[in-house]
Amino acid sequence: MVDQKFGTAVRMSVLTLAAGVLLACSPQIRSHGYVPNEDSLSSIVVGKDNRESIFATLGSPTSAALMRDDGWYYIASRVKHETYHAPEEIDRQIVAISFDQRGIVSNIERYGLQDGQVVVLTRRITDNPIKGPGFIQQLIGSLGNFNLSDAL
């Protein structure tokens, strides 16, 4: 009777462990950001709507043009996280709304992950400031130039 209970406990433990391992290896999909749907975008009239009406219809943008306030961007992405692998972006949607100088909508564009390009934001290359022989080279080079009478 004890052997049967022990065997059942071992089987249940092995099954629980196997299920845990399988669940730990399953990918997790995480969504970030917000992109308005087509129905909301179709209500916007190019040449008529302005920033205030866009804000009332779509809400706050994810990002705005940094140097000039001539564009609003709504950005959403989906990222797959799987075990020890690096996170992989599997979907990205961007809606770009451009404004003219008066703040009136001049263009609406939609971009996907396939439209993206990798942009290097910063590149840090430091030149070697040491010119000539290094400290160790100077130390080794001065070994033959030592004169005991000069030291006394």
Side-chain angles (χ1 to χ4, degrees):
M1 187 65 135
V2 173
D3 289 336
Q4 186 179 10
K5 286 183 180 180
F6 180 73
T8 303
V10 169
R11 275 188 243 128
M12 290 303 290
S13 297
V14 169
L15 287 174
T16 302
L17 181 65
V21 168
L22 289 175
L23 288 175
C25 293
S26 64
Q28 296 179 2
I29 307 295
R30 296 187 182 158
S31 298
H32 305 279
Y34 159 72
V35 170
N37 59 26
E38 288 298 324
D39 293 337
S40 298
L41 289 174
S42 64
S43 67
I44 298 172
V45 179
V46 174
K48 181 180 177 192
D49 281 309
N50 57 22
R51 286 185 181 89
E52 291 79 26
S53 64
I54 298 297
F55 185 81
T57 304
L58 303 179
S60 180
T62 306
S63 180
L66 297 176
M67 301 303 284
R68 304 177 312 257
D69 192 25
D70 62 351
W72 284 3
Y73 305 97
Y74 295 87
I75 304 167
S77 64
R78 293 179 49 197
V79 180
K80 179 172 79 169
H81 297 266
E82 190 173 23
T83 60
Y84 56 86
H85 298 290
E88 175 188 0
E89 188 171 26
I90 57 174
D91 186 31
R92 181 188 319 127
Q93 295 295 317
I94 300 173
V95 171
I97 301 177
S98 303
F99 300 99
D100 62 13
Q101 294 82 5
R102 298 172 296 143
I104 306 296
V105 175
S106 62
N107 196 9
I108 301 172
E109 298 173 288
R110 181 180 289 272
Y111 300 102
L113 186 61
Q114 68 278 3
D115 299 319
Q117 296 178 7
V118 175
V119 177
V120 178
L121 297 178
T122 180
R123 193 169 167 177
R124 297 181 182 198
I125 298 175
T126 306
D127 290 336
N128 187 355
I130 299 173
K131 303 292 184 206
F135 174 74
I136 301 295
Q137 291 174 331
Q138 290 177 6
L139 186 65
I140 292 173
S142 66
L143 285 179
N145 296 333
F146 181 74
N147 189 351
L148 185 59
S149 63
D150 290 340
L152 296 174

